[in-house]
């Protein structure tokens, strides 16, 4: 039954918007590449034969082969990136582990995160890490070992260590979500460097706040800076450690309402990234620690809690899942828009350029033909044949390109409106 529920989740996951769009746009670029190759071949044959095509024209079209290739390479690496920020010990690493459903990142006392850690999916079941400026894969077998490897490296806090974890262990990694964990925002004077280095290409930010206290100035400042560099960043606020509220039920409602109001106010009135109504949907009260524990129990085939958990566990667990759902919707739409819109523009541009060149050549052939009508019939027939071929090819290219462009546009606008 565990497997079945995982399968259902796979099909319904909003992340599929991104995954499918990526596959589709890649297929389109495979086709574009084919047609560019065909066009290059055809132009070369014309060039050799009758000087209908200039060397410059042929070279220009040929240069698109590399361009299309380049776009496909970038496309392959495109992913959805989420970055977590907040004060030290608020539970950033624990939140990521809960989402990954396993203790992957070191957390807790003695495991303060002291540089940027990026978790991404690896193929072939490999787990390893790569430190900044190196290409060496350091194998990682366990969390303990990972913690050790991170300690022994003398790393600067704004440095990035990439952790590769087997895709098949987590649906989010399989679907191209990349997680970025950070040191506490209260420990650095280098917020600008952090933002320039790690935040500009993030699709979603998660502020991990501590529900036992109020939002801190350092946390707010950080997001003020982010929103001066990025227009309308997507931000979620997790009031973590909400399990602590279970011990003080008499203040529960009051505390929650106050946190909610302040968080909404921060997102809408201060940062102006959402309307107050939309901001309501971005604030959650969770316990990452409980969620992680429950999920690790489930992985082992045991019930998600053994009865010893604090009051209200189930509600907090559901709220964490609710957060994940909204997060998945948000990140996949944002990534489709920021990443694929550019690719489809460039694809369209290449298609249009090729079409124009073919039009010009066709035009030229027709002129040459009328000028030479009186010369040998043999040449006449040959030109006639070339013209026909060109007409056919141009028409075919136009149709194909037209369809491809329409298809990309439809997909993108469909994904954006979903
Ligand atoms: P730094 O990396 O040091 O900045 O901290 P962090 O934000 O990554 O926090 P981390 O995940 O290491 O958690 C700090 C401690 O808080 C750990 O001992 C966690 O087990 C604990 N913790 C995290 N989330 C929760 C929670 O929801 N409830 C409770 N009670 N404890 C939590
Ligand atoms: Mg940490």
């Amino acid at each position: 039954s565990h497997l079945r529920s995982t399968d259902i989740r796979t099909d319904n996951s909003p992340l599929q918007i991104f995954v499918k769009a990526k596959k589709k746009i890649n297929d389109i670029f495979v086709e574009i590449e084919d047609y560019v190759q065909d066009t290059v071949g055809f132009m070369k044959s014309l060039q050799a034969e009758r000087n209908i095509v200039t060397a410059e024209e042929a070279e220009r079209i040929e240069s698109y082969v590399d361009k299309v290739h380049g776009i496909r390479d970038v496309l392959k690496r495109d992913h959805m990136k989420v970055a977590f920020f907040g004060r030290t010990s608020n539970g950033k690493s624990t939140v990521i582990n809960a989402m990954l459903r396993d203790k992957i990142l070191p957390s807790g006392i003695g495991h303060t995160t002291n540089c940027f850690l990026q978790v991404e999916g690896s193929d072939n079941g490999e787990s390893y890490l790569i430190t900044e400026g190196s290409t060496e894969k350091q194998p990682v077998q366990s969390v303990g070992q990972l913690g050790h490897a991170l300690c022994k490296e003398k790393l600067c806090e704004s440095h990035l260590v990439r952790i590769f974890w087997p895709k098949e262990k987590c649906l989010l990694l399989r679907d191209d979500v990349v997680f970025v964990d950070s040191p506490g925002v209260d420990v650095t004077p280098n917020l600008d460097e952090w933002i320039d280095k790690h935040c500009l290409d993030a699709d979603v930010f998660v502020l991990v706040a501590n529900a036992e206290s109020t939002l801190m100035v350092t946390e707010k400042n950080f997001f003020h800076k982010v929103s001066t560099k990025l227009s309308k960043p997507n931000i979620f606020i997790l009031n973590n450690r909400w399990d602590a509220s279970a011990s003080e039920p008499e203040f529960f409602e009051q505390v929650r309402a106050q946190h909610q109001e302040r968080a909404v106010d921060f997102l809408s009135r201060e940062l102006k990234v959402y309307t107050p109504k939309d901001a309501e949907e971005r604030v959650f009260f969770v316990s990452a620690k409980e969620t992680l524990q429950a999920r690790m129990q489930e992985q082992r085939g045991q019930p998600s809690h053994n009865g010893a958990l604090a009051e209200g566990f189930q509600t907090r667990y559901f709220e964490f899942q609710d957060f994940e759902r909204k997060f998945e919707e948000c990140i996949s739409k944002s990534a489709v828009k920021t990443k694929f819109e550019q690719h489809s523009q460039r694809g369209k541009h290449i298609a249009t350029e090729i079409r124009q060149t073919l039009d010009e050549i066709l035009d030229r052939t027709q002129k040459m033909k009328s000028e030479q009508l009186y010369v040998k019939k043999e040449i006449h027939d040959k030109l006639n044949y070339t013209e026909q071929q060109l007409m056919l090819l141009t028409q075919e290219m136009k149709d194909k390109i037209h369809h491809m462009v329409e298809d990309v546009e439809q997909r993108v606008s469909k994904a954006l409106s979903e």
Side-chain angles (χ1 to χ4, degrees), residues 88-89 91-94 105-108 111-114 117 181-184:
T88 303
S89 288
K92 300 175 293 296
S93 304
T94 311
L105 298 175
S107 70
H111 293 294
T112 280
T113 310
N114 50 19
L117 299 177
D181 192 9
S182 64

Side-chain angles (χ1 to χ4, degrees), residues 103-164:
K103 272 191 185 151
I104 295 172
L105 298 175
S107 70
I109 299 160
H111 293 294
T112 280
T113 310
N114 50 19
C115 66
F116 279 78
L117 299 177
Q118 174 164 311
V119 186
E120 52 196 292
S122 76
D123 297 314
N124 319 320
E126 286 182 297
S127 9
Y128 55 91
L129 62 83
I130 298 178
T131 55
E132 193 171 323
S134 154
T135 50
E136 187 202 343
K137 289 183 184 178
Q138 305 184 33
V140 190
Q141 253 70 55
S142 63
V143 190
Q145 214 190 356
L146 176 65
H148 185 72
L150 292 174
C151 280
K152 84 170 196 285
E153 303 275 343
K154 277 279 157 276
L155 294 161
C156 158
E157 35 105 317
S158 68
H159 265 219
L160 180 71
V161 173
R162 297 170 72 189
I163 299 165
F164 292 83

Side-chain angles (χ1 to χ4, degrees), residues 212 241-252 255 311 316:
E212 292 166 288
R241 297 174 164 268
W242 190 231
D243 50 313
S245 69
S247 60
E248 294 177 67
E250 63 277 27
F251 301 119
F252 179 88
V255 172
E311 179 78 24
R316 290 186 291 273

